Amino acid sequence: MEEWKRIYEEEESLSIEERKSNQLTKLENILSSFQTLFGPAFIPAIKTARKEKLTEDENSALQSSEGKDEFIARISGLEKEFNERFYKALEGVLGKRIFAEINFKKPEKVEEVAIKTDVEGEEDTTRTSKLPKGFNKWDLKMIKLHESKPTDGKRIWIEYWTLKGISNIGEILYNPTKDLHYFRPHQISTPSFALTEEHGRKATTQSRNYYFRICPNPPNVE
């Protein structure tokens, strides 16, 4: 039986979460085997795949290891293919997180547009900036229209973009206690920020000055 068919039949009846768990286990097993085979050259090889500078001892360990070029290529391929899951598996093998994730997202194609900025107490000023395709200014109605409701199974992923070129993907959620809508990035380490204030009657600085668009699921989110 061909490998792809065997894997397909094994995972056909599994849930998405079960498939992710199996994949993580397989990644950990692969990396654990590499660690056993390459020993002291394991970490230097990963650093080389990440284009990080090696110490003299690390370089010496790597150069004296047979099959180092193929190993580095394998590591580079796994990292680009699985990214966040690769580092999670690596953390499981090493017992701690020592490498930060690399963002392999390709740069957006941008177009020159004239962006009008309202300055209170002054005349409107116009400046040119590079706005990625698909982004638009949103008003309060658009913000509320694209609110995610995870408890109802309705999840709408939104990407924002700022004139400084900062971008992130997340959800617009509603806080009934404070009666406001806010943007929560899908990465837990990135802070949320409010999009409305004064009980939803006024847009915050971010929602007035940021550009938004609906986007596909962020990495590793179904």
Side-chain angles (χ1 to χ4, degrees):
M1 183 182 295
E2 294 184 36
E3 183 68 9
W4 70 267
K5 190 173 183 179
R6 182 185 64 77
I7 294 174
Y8 175 80
E9 291 183 355
E10 286 180 355
E11 299 189 349
E12 186 178 15
S13 61
L14 300 180
S15 67
I16 292 175
E17 289 304 317
E18 287 173 330
R19 291 178 188 179
K20 285 183 177 180
S21 177
N22 284 351
Q23 187 180 71
L24 183 62
T25 300
K26 289 176 182 178
L27 276 172
E28 288 182 348
N29 290 339
I30 290 171
L31 292 174
S32 182
S33 297
F34 284 158
Q35 186 183 39
T36 301
L37 287 171
F38 291 91
F42 181 69
I43 297 298
I46 295 175
K47 284 187 174 182
T48 301
R50 290 165 53 86
K51 295 180 172 53
E52 293 183 5
K53 188 176 180 179
L54 304 181
T55 65
E56 290 185 11
D57 290 342
E58 288 174 334
N59 186 57
S60 177
L62 183 62
Q63 295 306 319
S64 62
S65 177
E66 293 184 10
K68 64 180 184 301
D69 293 334
E70 182 180 350
F71 175 47
I72 291 170
R74 290 283 299 277
I75 286 294
S76 181
L78 288 171
E79 184 184 39
K80 289 181 180 179
E81 179 67 26
F82 298 103
N83 199 9
E84 183 179 332
R85 282 166 288 177
F86 169 84
Y87 286 104
K88 188 173 182 180
L90 185 60
E91 182 179 356
V93 172
L94 298 176
K96 59 182 178 180
R97 176 64 68 96
I98 64 174
F99 291 107
E101 294 171 23
I102 295 177
N103 183 11
F104 290 105
K105 185 178 179 181
K106 294 180 180 178
E108 290 274 3
K109 182 179 179 181
V110 296
E111 55 187 24
E112 294 287 341
V113 295
I115 297 177
K116 209 172 188 183
T117 305
D118 296 329
V119 180
E120 189 175 353
E122 298 179 8
E123 293 184 0
D124 291 349
T125 58
T126 302
R127 57 173 166 167
T128 299
S129 184
K130 293 188 175 185
L131 180 65
K133 186 177 180 180
F135 284 91
N136 294 286
K137 283 287 187 74
W138 283 10
D139 55 21
L140 293 176
K141 182 178 179 181
M142 291 289 282
I143 289 171
K144 294 175 183 179
L145 180 65
H146 293 98
E147 172 193 343
S148 282
K149 299 177 180 177
T151 54
D152 298 335
K154 177 184 177 184
R155 306 196 74 170
I156 304 173
W157 294 101
I158 302 297
E159 184 173 11
Y160 72 79
W161 186 86
T162 74
L163 292 179
K164 294 181 179 180
I166 300 171
S167 184
N168 206 340
I169 296 174
E171 296 177 276
I172 294 175
L173 302 175
Y174 177 68
N175 184 327
T177 303
K178 296 183 179 180
D179 191 16
L180 58 80
H181 289 79
Y182 66 98
F183 184 94
R184 184 178 70 183
H186 81 284
Q187 296 173 324
I188 300 176
S189 58
T190 307
S192 304
F193 57 85
L195 293 170
T196 61
E197 54 189 0
E198 295 183 6
H199 299 288
R201 292 191 297 270
K202 182 179 178 183
T204 63
T205 301
Q206 285 92 336
S207 60
R208 290 198 307 271
N209 296 331
Y210 287 13
Y211 295 79
F212 300 87
R213 70 177 178 185
I214 298 177
C215 68
N217 292 357
N220 306 319
V221 175
E222 299 294 337

